Amino acid sequence: MKLNRLIACILTILLSSSFLVAQKSNSRIEVLDNAAFDAKLLHIKGSLIDLRSSDEVKSGLLPNAKVIDWEGESFKKSVSQLPHNQPVFLYCAGGFRSKEAAKWMQNDGFTTIIILKDGFDLWLSEGYTVVDLNGKVIQQKKSVREKSPASTYE
């Protein structure tokens, strides 16, 4: 009887770990340049997350971005509340935090994570649309993406 219970426990552990591996293998991380990121935002519904700090976002952010500071205390809780089966677009100042956050999110079960390759700094310097924290356009690019400039901060 004990042997049967032991075998059942081992099978349960093996099946659970196989499920977790399968779940992670179904996720993907894409790293896109400014033009591809901008175009994909237009055509795919998802969450746009700015991973920079509250001081950094004072210089502006992408339209419709939700600010969730990668280094903030509430990052994991806030991000975990996002739909895991919908695409999540990430950006930071230069790309490093986005890659770190994407790895964490992949382990948390997010299926599609799209990273802005070189971050907000290059986005800004190349003249793409940027808004302030109130959603007012501070830099406008004539791009394929014409959404309302509303932003949220968390």
Side-chain angles (χ1 to χ4, degrees):
M1 188 66 158
K2 287 185 179 181
L3 183 60
N4 287 343
R5 288 182 83 184
L6 179 62
I7 292 171
C9 286
I10 291 171
L11 285 174
T12 301
I13 291 169
L14 289 174
L15 289 174
S16 296
S17 62
S18 296
F19 173 74
L20 291 173
V21 170
Q23 186 179 24
K24 287 180 187 177
S25 68
N26 288 333
S27 68
R28 72 175 194 268
I29 297 174
E30 295 179 56
V31 181
L32 303 177
D33 64 17
N34 286 341
F37 192 87
D38 190 42
K40 203 158 225 180
L41 279 170
L42 176 66
H43 298 293
I44 295 177
K45 182 182 180 206
S47 301
L48 175 60
I49 307 299
D50 186 325
L51 298 166
R52 298 174 302 147
S53 70
S54 57
D55 284 339
E56 289 175 295
V57 298
K58 290 176 183 175
S59 64
L61 61 160
L62 275 64
N64 302 305
K66 182 175 187 172
V67 179
I68 305 176
D69 184 352
W70 163 243
E71 296 170 349
E73 292 178 19
S74 65
F75 173 80
K76 291 179 181 177
K77 180 182 177 188
S78 297
V79 169
S80 292
Q81 294 173 0
L82 298 171
H84 285 51
N85 61 344
Q86 291 182 1
V88 178
F89 294 83
L90 299 177
Y91 72 94
C92 59
F96 178 77
R97 286 175 281 188
S98 296
K99 291 173 187 161
E100 293 299 307
K103 290 176 197 172
W104 182 87
M105 293 172 74
Q106 188 175 41
N107 286 332
D108 195 48
F110 284 85
T111 56
T112 304
I113 305 154
I114 303 160
I115 298 172
L116 180 60
K117 182 180 179 182
D118 295 308
F120 179 80
D121 294 344
L122 186 61
W123 180 273
L124 180 66
S125 71
E126 288 189 354
Y128 283 83
T129 302
V130 174
V131 298
D132 66 15
L133 288 170
N134 296 316
K136 181 181 175 189
V137 175
I138 55 178
Q139 175 173 292
Q140 179 72 43
K141 175 184 167 103
K142 292 179 182 160
S143 69
V144 295
R145 187 167 167 250
E146 297 296 335
K147 292 185 179 181
S148 69
S151 302
T152 58
Y153 186 81
E154 188 168 290

Coordinates of all heavy atoms in Angstrom, one line a residue, residues 75-141:
F75 N 5.5 45.5 -8.2 CA 5.7 45.0 -9.6 C 5.0 43.7 -9.8 O 4.2 43.5 -10.6 CB 7.2 45.0 -10.0 CG 7.3 44.3 -11.3 CD1 7.1 45.0 -12.5 CD2 7.7 43.0 -11.4 CE1 7.2 44.4 -13.7 CE2 7.8 42.4 -12.7 CZ 7.5 43.1 -13.8
K76 N 5.5 42.7 -9.0 CA 5.0 41.3 -9.2 C 3.5 41.2 -9.0 O 2.8 40.6 -9.8 CB 5.7 40.3 -8.3 CG 7.1 40.2 -8.7 CD 7.9 39.2 -7.7 CE 9.3 39.1 -8.2 NZ 10.1 38.3 -7.3
K77 N 3.0 41.9 -8.0 CA 1.5 41.9 -7.7 C 0.7 42.5 -8.9 O -0.2 42.0 -9.4 CB 1.2 42.6 -6.4 CG -0.3 42.6 -6.1 CD -0.5 43.3 -4.8 CE -2.0 43.4 -4.5 NZ -2.4 44.2 -3.4
S78 N 1.2 43.7 -9.3 CA 0.5 44.4 -10.4 C 0.6 43.6 -11.7 O -0.5 43.5 -12.4 CB 1.2 45.8 -10.6 OG 1.0 46.6 -9.5
V79 N 1.7 43.1 -12.1 CA 1.8 42.4 -13.3 C 1.1 41.1 -13.3 O 0.5 40.7 -14.3 CB 3.3 42.2 -13.7 CG1 3.5 41.2 -14.8 CG2 4.0 43.5 -14.0
S80 N 1.1 40.4 -12.1 CA 0.3 39.1 -12.0 C -1.1 39.3 -12.3 O -1.8 38.3 -12.6 CB 0.6 38.5 -10.7 OG 1.9 38.1 -10.5
Q81 N -1.7 40.5 -12.1 CA -3.1 40.7 -12.3 C -3.4 40.9 -13.8 O -4.6 40.9 -14.2 CB -3.5 42.0 -11.5 CG -3.5 41.7 -10.0 CD -3.7 43.0 -9.2 OE1 -4.0 44.0 -9.7 NE2 -3.7 42.8 -7.9
L82 N -2.4 41.1 -14.6 CA -2.7 41.2 -16.1 C -3.1 39.9 -16.7 O -2.7 38.8 -16.2 CB -1.4 41.7 -16.8 CG -0.9 43.1 -16.4 CD1 0.5 43.3 -17.0 CD2 -1.9 44.2 -16.8
P83 N -3.9 39.9 -17.8 CA -4.2 38.6 -18.4 C -3.0 37.9 -19.0 O -2.2 38.5 -19.8 CB -5.2 39.0 -19.6 CG -5.5 40.4 -19.3 CD -4.5 41.0 -18.4
H84 N -2.7 36.7 -18.5 CA -1.5 36.0 -18.9 C -1.6 35.5 -20.4 O -0.6 35.2 -21.0 CB -1.3 34.8 -18.0 CG -0.7 35.2 -16.6 ND1 -1.3 36.2 -15.9 CD2 0.3 34.8 -15.9 CE1 -0.6 36.3 -14.7 NE2 0.4 35.5 -14.8
N85 N -2.8 35.4 -20.9 CA -3.0 34.8 -22.3 C -3.1 35.9 -23.3 O -3.3 35.6 -24.5 CB -4.2 33.9 -22.3 CG -5.5 34.7 -22.0 OD1 -5.4 35.8 -21.5 ND2 -6.6 34.0 -22.3
Q86 N -2.8 37.1 -23.0 CA -2.8 38.2 -23.9 C -1.4 38.8 -24.0 O -0.7 38.8 -23.1 CB -3.8 39.4 -23.5 CG -5.3 38.9 -23.6 CD -6.2 40.1 -23.2 OE1 -5.7 41.2 -22.9 NE2 -7.5 39.8 -23.3
P87 N -1.1 39.4 -25.2 CA 0.3 39.9 -25.3 C 0.5 41.1 -24.3 O -0.4 41.8 -24.0 CB 0.3 40.5 -26.8 CG -0.8 39.7 -27.5 CD -1.8 39.4 -26.4
V88 N 1.8 41.1 -23.9 CA 2.2 42.2 -23.0 C 3.4 42.9 -23.7 O 4.4 42.2 -24.1 CB 2.6 41.7 -21.6 CG1 3.1 42.9 -20.8 CG2 1.4 41.0 -20.9
F89 N 3.3 44.2 -23.9 CA 4.4 45.0 -24.5 C 5.2 45.6 -23.4 O 4.6 46.3 -22.5 CB 3.8 46.0 -25.4 CG 3.1 45.5 -26.6 CD1 1.7 45.1 -26.6 CD2 3.7 45.4 -27.9 CE1 1.1 44.6 -27.7 CE2 3.1 45.0 -29.0 CZ 1.7 44.5 -28.9
L90 N 6.5 45.5 -23.4 CA 7.3 46.0 -22.3 C 8.3 47.0 -22.9 O 8.9 46.8 -24.0 CB 8.1 44.9 -21.6 CG 7.3 43.8 -20.9 CD1 8.3 42.8 -20.4 CD2 6.4 44.4 -19.8
Y91 N 8.6 48.0 -22.1 CA 9.8 48.9 -22.4 C 10.3 49.5 -21.2 O 9.6 49.7 -20.2 CB 9.4 49.9 -23.5 CG 8.5 51.1 -23.0 CD1 9.1 52.3 -22.6 CD2 7.1 50.9 -23.1 CE1 8.2 53.3 -22.2 CE2 6.3 52.0 -22.7 CZ 6.9 53.1 -22.2 OH 6.1 54.2 -21.8
C92 N 11.6 49.9 -21.2 CA 12.2 50.6 -20.1 C 13.1 51.7 -20.8 O 12.8 52.0 -21.9 CB 13.0 49.6 -19.3 SG 14.3 48.8 -20.2
A93 N 14.1 52.2 -20.1 CA 14.9 53.2 -20.7 C 15.8 52.7 -21.9 O 15.9 53.3 -22.9 CB 15.8 53.9 -19.7
G94 N 16.4 51.6 -21.7 CA 17.4 51.1 -22.7 C 17.2 49.6 -23.1 O 17.9 49.2 -24.0
G95 N 16.4 48.9 -22.4 CA 16.1 47.5 -22.8 C 16.5 46.4 -21.8 O 16.0 45.3 -21.8
F96 N 17.4 46.7 -20.8 CA 17.8 45.7 -19.9 C 16.7 45.3 -18.9 O 16.5 44.1 -18.8 CB 19.0 46.2 -19.0 CG 19.5 45.3 -18.0 CD1 20.2 44.1 -18.4 CD2 19.1 45.4 -16.7 CE1 20.6 43.2 -17.4 CE2 19.5 44.5 -15.7 CZ 20.3 43.4 -16.1
R97 N 16.0 46.2 -18.3 CA 14.9 45.9 -17.4 C 13.8 45.1 -18.1 O 13.2 44.2 -17.5 CB 14.4 47.1 -16.7 CG 15.3 47.7 -15.6 CD 14.8 48.9 -15.1 NE 15.1 50.0 -16.0 CZ 14.9 51.3 -15.8 NH1 14.4 51.7 -14.6 NH2 15.2 52.2 -16.7
S98 N 13.6 45.5 -19.3 CA 12.5 44.8 -20.1 C 12.9 43.3 -20.2 O 12.0 42.4 -20.1 CB 12.4 45.4 -21.5 OG 11.9 46.7 -21.4
K99 N 14.1 43.0 -20.5 CA 14.5 41.6 -20.7 C 14.4 40.8 -19.4 O 14.0 39.7 -19.3 CB 15.9 41.5 -21.2 CG 16.0 42.0 -22.7 CD 17.4 42.1 -23.2 CE 17.4 42.7 -24.6 NZ 18.7 43.3 -24.9
E100 N 14.8 41.5 -18.3 CA 14.7 40.8 -17.0 C 13.2 40.6 -16.6 O 12.9 39.5 -16.1 CB 15.4 41.7 -15.9 CG 16.9 41.8 -16.1 CD 17.6 40.4 -15.9 OE1 17.3 39.7 -15.0 OE2 18.3 40.1 -16.9
A101 N 12.4 41.6 -16.8 CA 11.0 41.5 -16.5 C 10.3 40.4 -17.4 O 9.5 39.6 -16.9 CB 10.3 42.8 -16.7
A102 N 10.7 40.3 -18.6 CA 10.2 39.3 -19.6 C 10.5 37.9 -19.1 O 9.6 37.0 -19.1 CB 10.7 39.6 -21.0
K103 N 11.7 37.7 -18.6 CA 12.1 36.4 -18.1 C 11.2 36.0 -16.9 O 10.7 34.9 -16.8 CB 13.5 36.4 -17.6 CG 14.5 36.4 -18.8 CD 16.0 36.5 -18.2 CE 16.9 36.9 -19.2 NZ 18.3 37.2 -18.7
W104 N 11.0 37.0 -16.0 CA 10.2 36.7 -14.8 C 8.7 36.4 -15.3 O 8.1 35.5 -14.8 CB 10.2 37.9 -13.9 CG 9.4 37.7 -12.7 CD1 9.7 37.1 -11.5 CD2 8.0 38.0 -12.5 NE1 8.7 37.0 -10.6 CE2 7.6 37.5 -11.2 CE3 7.0 38.6 -13.3 CZ2 6.3 37.7 -10.7 CZ3 5.7 38.7 -12.8 CH2 5.4 38.3 -11.5
M105 N 8.2 37.2 -16.2 CA 6.8 37.0 -16.7 C 6.7 35.7 -17.4 O 5.6 35.1 -17.3 CB 6.4 38.2 -17.6 CG 6.3 39.5 -16.8 SD 6.1 40.9 -17.9 CE 4.4 40.7 -18.3
Q106 N 7.7 35.3 -18.1 CA 7.6 34.0 -18.8 C 7.5 32.9 -17.8 O 6.7 32.0 -17.9 CB 8.9 33.8 -19.7 CG 8.8 32.6 -20.6 CD 10.0 32.5 -21.5 OE1 11.1 32.8 -21.1 NE2 9.8 32.2 -22.7
N107 N 8.3 33.0 -16.7 CA 8.2 32.0 -15.6 C 6.9 32.0 -14.9 O 6.4 31.0 -14.3 CB 9.4 32.2 -14.6 CG 10.7 31.7 -15.2 OD1 10.7 30.8 -16.0 ND2 11.7 32.3 -14.7
D108 N 6.2 33.2 -14.9 CA 4.9 33.4 -14.3 C 3.8 32.9 -15.2 O 2.6 32.9 -14.7 CB 4.7 34.8 -13.9 CG 3.6 35.0 -12.9 OD1 3.5 34.3 -11.9 OD2 2.7 35.9 -13.1
G109 N 4.1 32.5 -16.4 CA 3.0 31.9 -17.3 C 2.5 32.8 -18.4 O 1.5 32.5 -19.0
F110 N 3.1 34.0 -18.6 CA 2.6 34.9 -19.7 C 3.0 34.2 -21.0 O 4.1 33.6 -21.1 CB 3.3 36.3 -19.6 CG 2.6 37.1 -18.5 CD1 3.0 37.0 -17.2 CD2 1.6 38.0 -18.8 CE1 2.5 37.8 -16.2 CE2 1.0 38.8 -17.9 CZ 1.4 38.7 -16.5
T111 N 2.1 34.3 -22.0 CA 2.3 33.5 -23.2 C 3.0 34.4 -24.3 O 3.8 33.8 -25.0 CB 1.0 33.1 -23.8 OG1 0.1 34.2 -24.0 CG2 0.3 32.0 -22.9
T112 N 2.8 35.7 -24.4 CA 3.4 36.5 -25.4 C 3.9 37.8 -24.8 O 3.1 38.6 -24.3 CB 2.4 36.8 -26.5 OG1 1.9 35.6 -27.0 CG2 3.1 37.6 -27.6
I113 N 5.2 38.0 -24.8 CA 5.9 39.2 -24.3 C 6.7 39.8 -25.4 O 7.5 39.2 -26.1 CB 6.8 38.8 -23.1 CG1 6.0 38.0 -22.0 CG2 7.4 40.0 -22.5 CD1 6.8 37.1 -21.2
I114 N 6.4 41.1 -25.6 CA 7.0 41.8 -26.7 C 7.8 43.0 -26.1 O 7.3 43.8 -25.4 CB 6.0 42.3 -27.7 CG1 5.1 41.1 -28.2 CG2 6.6 43.1 -28.9 CD1 3.8 41.5 -28.8
I115 N 9.1 43.0 -26.4 CA 10.0 44.0 -25.8 C 10.4 45.0 -26.9 O 10.8 44.7 -28.0 CB 11.3 43.3 -25.3 CG1 10.9 42.3 -24.2 CG2 12.3 44.3 -24.8 CD1 12.1 41.4 -23.8
L116 N 10.4 46.3 -26.5 CA 11.0 47.4 -27.3 C 12.5 47.3 -27.2 O 13.1 47.5 -26.1 CB 10.5 48.7 -26.8 CG 11.0 50.0 -27.6 CD1 10.6 49.9 -29.1 CD2 10.4 51.2 -26.9
K117 N 13.2 46.9 -28.2 CA 14.6 46.5 -28.2 C 15.5 47.5 -27.5 O 16.3 47.1 -26.6 CB 15.1 46.3 -29.7 CG 16.5 45.9 -29.8 CD 16.9 45.7 -31.2 CE 18.3 45.3 -31.4 NZ 18.7 45.2 -32.8
D118 N 15.5 48.7 -27.9 CA 16.5 49.7 -27.3 C 15.8 50.7 -26.4 O 16.4 51.7 -26.0 CB 17.2 50.4 -28.5 CG 18.1 49.4 -29.3 OD1 18.9 48.7 -28.6 OD2 17.9 49.4 -30.5
G119 N 14.6 50.4 -26.0 CA 13.9 51.2 -25.0 C 13.4 52.6 -25.4 O 13.5 53.0 -26.5
F120 N 12.9 53.3 -24.3 CA 12.3 54.6 -24.5 C 13.3 55.6 -25.0 O 12.9 56.5 -25.8 CB 11.7 55.1 -23.1 CG 11.1 56.4 -23.2 CD1 9.8 56.6 -23.7 CD2 11.8 57.5 -22.8 CE1 9.2 57.8 -23.8 CE2 11.2 58.8 -22.9 CZ 9.9 58.9 -23.4
D121 N 14.5 55.6 -24.6 CA 15.5 56.6 -25.0 C 15.7 56.7 -26.5 O 15.6 57.8 -27.1 CB 16.9 56.4 -24.3 CG 16.8 56.6 -22.8 OD1 15.8 57.2 -22.3 OD2 17.7 56.1 -22.1
L122 N 15.8 55.6 -27.1 CA 15.9 55.6 -28.6 C 14.5 55.9 -29.2 O 14.5 56.6 -30.3 CB 16.4 54.2 -29.1 CG 16.7 54.2 -30.6 CD1 17.8 55.2 -31.0 CD2 17.1 52.8 -31.1
W123 N 13.4 55.4 -28.7 CA 12.1 55.8 -29.1 C 12.0 57.3 -29.2 O 11.5 57.9 -30.2 CB 11.1 55.2 -28.2 CG 9.6 55.4 -28.5 CD1 8.9 56.5 -28.1 CD2 8.8 54.6 -29.2 NE1 7.6 56.4 -28.6 CE2 7.5 55.2 -29.3 CE3 8.9 53.4 -29.9 CZ2 6.4 54.6 -29.9 CZ3 7.8 52.8 -30.5 CH2 6.6 53.4 -30.5
L124 N 12.3 58.0 -28.1 CA 12.3 59.4 -28.0 C 13.2 60.1 -29.0 O 12.7 61.0 -29.8 CB 12.6 59.9 -26.6 CG 12.6 61.4 -26.3 CD1 11.1 61.9 -26.4 CD2 13.1 61.6 -24.9
S125 N 14.4 59.7 -29.1 CA 15.4 60.3 -30.0 C 15.0 60.1 -31.5 O 15.4 60.9 -32.3 CB 16.8 59.8 -29.7 OG 17.0 58.5 -30.1
E126 N 14.3 59.0 -31.8 CA 13.9 58.8 -33.2 C 12.6 59.5 -33.5 O 12.1 59.4 -34.6 CB 13.8 57.3 -33.5 CG 15.2 56.7 -33.6 CD 15.2 55.2 -34.1 OE1 14.1 54.7 -34.3 OE2 16.3 54.7 -34.3
G127 N 12.0 60.2 -32.6 CA 10.9 61.1 -32.9 C 9.5 60.4 -32.8 O 8.5 60.9 -33.3
Y128 N 9.4 59.2 -32.2 CA 8.1 58.6 -32.1 C 7.2 59.3 -31.0 O 7.7 60.1 -30.2 CB 8.3 57.1 -31.6 CG 8.8 56.2 -32.8 CD1 10.1 56.1 -33.1 CD2 7.8 55.5 -33.5 CE1 10.5 55.3 -34.2 CE2 8.3 54.7 -34.6 CZ 9.6 54.6 -34.9 OH 10.0 53.9 -36.0
T129 N 5.9 59.0 -31.1 CA 5.0 59.8 -30.3 C 5.2 59.5 -28.8 O 5.4 58.3 -28.4 CB 3.5 59.4 -30.6 OG1 3.3 59.7 -32.0 CG2 2.5 60.1 -29.8
V130 N 5.2 60.6 -28.0 CA 5.4 60.5 -26.5 C 4.4 61.4 -25.9 O 4.1 62.5 -26.4 CB 6.9 61.0 -26.2 CG1 7.1 61.0 -24.7 CG2 7.9 60.0 -26.8
V131 N 3.9 61.0 -24.8 CA 2.9 61.8 -24.0 C 3.4 62.0 -22.6 O 4.3 61.3 -22.1 CB 1.5 61.1 -24.0 CG1 0.9 60.9 -25.3 CG2 1.6 59.8 -23.2
D132 N 2.8 63.0 -21.9 CA 3.2 63.2 -20.5 C 2.3 62.4 -19.7 O 1.4 61.6 -20.2 CB 3.1 64.7 -20.2 CG 1.7 65.3 -20.2 OD1 0.7 64.6 -20.2 OD2 1.6 66.6 -20.2
L133 N 2.4 62.5 -18.3 CA 1.6 61.6 -17.4 C 0.1 61.9 -17.5 O -0.7 61.0 -17.1 CB 2.1 61.8 -16.0 CG 3.5 61.1 -15.7 CD1 4.0 61.6 -14.4 CD2 3.4 59.6 -15.8
N134 N -0.3 63.0 -18.0 CA -1.7 63.4 -18.2 C -2.2 63.0 -19.5 O -3.4 63.2 -19.8 CB -1.9 64.9 -17.9 CG -1.6 65.2 -16.5 OD1 -1.9 64.5 -15.6 ND2 -0.8 66.3 -16.3
G135 N -1.4 62.4 -20.4 CA -1.8 62.0 -21.7 C -1.7 63.0 -22.8 O -2.1 62.8 -23.9
K136 N -1.1 64.2 -22.4 CA -0.9 65.3 -23.4 C 0.3 64.9 -24.3 O 1.4 64.6 -23.8 CB -0.7 66.6 -22.7 CG -0.5 67.7 -23.7 CD -0.3 69.0 -22.9 CE 0.0 70.1 -23.9 NZ 0.4 71.4 -23.2
V137 N 0.1 65.0 -25.6 CA 1.2 64.7 -26.5 C 2.3 65.8 -26.4 O 2.0 67.0 -26.5 CB 0.6 64.7 -28.0 CG1 1.8 64.5 -29.0 CG2 -0.4 63.6 -28.2
I138 N 3.5 65.3 -26.2 CA 4.6 66.2 -26.1 C 5.6 66.0 -27.3 O 6.4 66.8 -27.5 CB 5.4 66.1 -24.8 CG1 5.8 64.6 -24.5 CG2 4.5 66.6 -23.6 CD1 6.6 64.5 -23.2
Q139 N 5.4 64.9 -28.0 CA 6.1 64.7 -29.2 C 5.3 63.8 -30.1 O 4.8 62.8 -29.7 CB 7.5 64.0 -29.0 CG 8.3 63.6 -30.2 CD 9.6 63.1 -29.8 OE1 10.5 63.8 -29.4 NE2 9.8 61.8 -30.1
Q140 N 5.0 64.3 -31.3 CA 4.1 63.6 -32.2 C 4.8 63.1 -33.5 O 5.5 63.9 -34.1 CB 2.9 64.5 -32.6 CG 1.9 63.8 -33.6 CD 1.1 62.8 -32.9 OE1 0.6 63.0 -31.8 NE2 0.9 61.7 -33.6
K141 N 4.7 61.9 -33.8 CA 5.3 61.3 -35.0 C 4.1 60.9 -35.9 O 3.1 60.3 -35.4 CB 6.1 60.1 -34.7 CG 6.6 59.5 -36.0 CD 7.4 58.2 -35.7 CE 7.6 57.4 -37.0 NZ 8.9 57.5 -37.6

